[in-house]
Amino acid sequence: MVRSIEITKVSIRDRLIIDANVRMNDPKDYDFSPRVAIDGSILSLHNEGDDESTTSVELDAEQMTTAERDRLLELRVKFSVEGMHGVLTHKTENTRIAPNAKKLAEPRWKTVLPLSM
């Protein structure tokens, strides 16, 4: 299940783009079905069937115009798991000089969602 959802950025390119961070309870948990709704100028993002993990952001006039025109948005999600994606303890100082330098994996996901208004 989803522990928390946080909208980090709202931007416009060809359509409305929402960047979000999603924290999951377990690394083997794949239960994430995002749903987006607009009420007035407030955009809310939540997981289907889960009323606890909800986040919202207020859209400005240009973002509202784009959302009403397209009736969809692009959602970019960065997943993380509590306790698994924390601080890297043995970090290579200069990654350009270390051919086997490792970074933490950052699973990302991008999709297009319809808006319910």
Side-chain angles (χ1 to χ4, degrees):
M1 290 296 293
V2 174
R3 178 172 289 184
S4 66
I5 301 173
E6 176 189 3
I7 295 176
T8 57
K9 183 178 166 188
V10 179
S11 60
I12 298 174
R13 291 211 179 135
D14 293 335
R15 57 181 158 226
L16 190 64
I17 299 171
I18 305 292
D19 292 342
N21 289 337
V22 176
R23 288 201 175 271
M24 304 298 281
N25 287 330
D26 188 346
K28 295 186 182 197
D29 190 5
Y30 306 110
D31 185 23
F32 183 62
S33 299
R35 299 294 182 254
V36 181
I38 292 183
D39 185 25
S41 65
I42 305 293
L43 180 134
S44 63
L45 173 67
H46 67 280
N47 190 21
E48 183 181 33
D50 186 10
D51 295 333
E52 295 175 9
S53 59
T54 302
T55 185
S56 60
V57 67
E58 187 170 357
L59 301 178
D60 63 16
E62 183 182 5
Q63 293 167 344
M64 275 302 296
T65 305
T66 305
E68 289 172 350
R69 180 192 69 202
D70 295 339
R71 300 281 178 163
L72 56 89
L73 62 81
E74 181 176 323
L75 178 66
R76 298 178 184 173
V77 179
K78 177 183 168 188
F79 289 101
S80 61
V81 178
E82 190 70 36
M84 184 174 173
H85 294 91
V87 178
L88 185 61
T89 55
H90 302 290
K91 188 174 178 183
T92 304
E93 294 298 324
N94 189 351
T95 57
R96 291 176 287 161
I97 62 171
N100 295 329
K102 303 288 186 210
K103 292 185 177 180
L104 289 173
E106 291 183 350
R108 297 182 185 265
W109 190 52
K110 184 170 33 170
T111 188
V112 176
L113 293 175
L115 285 172
S116 61
M117 300 182 117

